[in-house]
Amino acid sequence: SQQGEEDPQALSIQEGENATMNCSYKTSINNLQWYRQNSGRGLVHLILIRSNEREKHSGRLRVTLDTSKKSSSLLITASRAADTASYFCATDIQGGSEKLVFGKGTKLTVNP
Amino acid sequence: GAGVSQTPSNKVTEKGKYVELRCDPISGHTALYWYRQSLGQGPEFLIYFQGTGAADDSGLPNDRFFAVRPEGSVSTLKIQRTERGDSAVYLCASSFIREDTQYFGPGTRLTVL
């Protein structure tokens, strides 16, 4: 079974709008990572947030983590057509090996 | 510097054949991971190496799957008696220290006819 679950499964917005994707997980974690994937191939790492952190920023990306609710969100501000991709959250489970457990992803489409 | 590389990028084989997939991690990364991704799904963990040894192989689906990393760098994922259900993109990732960011390669798309 998958640990993480992204919501929504698909999101379509206009260029310039903000996009918010959510991730929920089931067990305690060491860290949570967000990845982007274009065309079903290699994953590009976006942000890693550790369990003792609540918010991180990187350029137009903002990630929050609420360990009490076991949830995270990824906000992309001022979206561009080039942001069109699938976005995955992945958790490093506490007490487990260093493997990542991925959700099914959110497919984001940014229309020009 | 170079990222994680994987060869071949695409592999088409017939049911019952043996295949090998190669992963070259980022230089100096001690941890190496294999994942498998089916269409419309997120990647699923297969095996994790710390140095030369398999620290966690709990994700390997059955004994047809085997992976090695003899010198603690390059890794090979081996699949015997391939089945159509093995068709997927096989992803490799590496990281420098425990709990650090995992960097992924471009993947090998395996198609079993």
Side-chain angles (χ1 to χ4, degrees):
Chain A
S1 62
Q2 292 182 301
Q3 154 89 323
E5 190 171 312
E6 289 90 344
D7 169 58
Q9 291 186 353
L11 180 61
S12 181
I13 60 174
Q14 295 300 122
E15 216 167 19
E17 294 180 338
N18 296 342
T20 300
M21 288 160 270
N22 303 297
C23 170
S24 60
Y25 58 92
K26 298 174 184 173
T27 59
S28 297
I29 61 172
N30 295 314
N31 66 64
L32 184 147
Q33 304 183 35
W34 283 92
Y35 288 84
R36 184 185 73 216
Q37 185 176 46
N38 292 85
S39 305
R41 296 304 290 262
L43 292 117
V44 174
H45 183 262
L46 298 176
I47 288 185
L48 180 152
I49 186 164
R50 301 192 187 280
S51 60
N52 61 352
E53 298 174 312
R54 292 296 167 257
E55 187 171 313
K56 285 188 87 167
H57 296 254
S58 176
R60 294 184 295 111
L61 306 180
R62 172 176 167 250
V63 168
T64 61
L65 179 64
D66 187 334
T67 53
S68 66
K69 295 182 179 177
K70 292 186 169 57
S71 67
S72 174
S73 68
L74 170 67
L75 168 67
I76 304 174
T77 60
S79 64
R80 305 166 183 169
D83 295 329
T84 295
S86 290
Y87 291 82
F88 293 90
C89 71
T91 51
D92 178 352
I93 297 172
Q94 202 172 79
S97 74
E98 281 64 47
K99 68 183 180 187
L100 292 177
V101 182
F102 286 81
K104 292 186 177 182
T106 292
K107 186 170 174 59
L108 173 66
T109 302
V110 182
N111 301 298
Chain B
V4 178
S5 62
Q6 292 186 246
T7 54
S9 56
N10 287 284
K11 176 70 177 178
V12 180
T13 191
E14 292 179 345
K15 181 175 178 296
K17 299 289 188 182
Y18 168 82
V19 297
E20 289 189 353
L21 311 179
R22 177 187 167 107
C23 172
D24 279 89
I26 293 172
S27 178
H29 279 191
T30 56
L32 185 147
Y33 312 79
W34 283 98
Y35 294 84
R36 178 169 72 171
Q37 186 176 23
S38 300
L39 193 63
Q41 303 292 316
E44 290 184 312
F45 170 78
L46 294 176
I47 187 169
Y48 154 56
F49 288 90
Q50 184 60 253
T52 60
D56 182 357
D57 64 358
S58 62
L60 295 177
N62 52 60
D63 61 6
R64 296 187 297 105
F65 288 74
F66 189 71
V68 296
R69 195 186 184 200
E71 297 178 357
S73 178
V74 170
S75 176
T76 304
L77 178 65
K78 309 180 181 192
I79 310 174
Q80 298 177 321
R81 305 183 303 280
T82 52
E83 300 176 356
R84 293 193 180 88
D86 298 335
S87 296
V89 175
Y90 289 80
L91 296 162
C92 176
S94 69
S95 67
F96 182 54
I97 58 174
R98 290 169 65 116
E99 299 184 30
D100 207 345
T101 299
Q102 293 188 22
Y103 295 92
F104 281 78
T108 294
R109 184 179 300 279
L110 174 66
T111 303
V112 182
L113 301 177

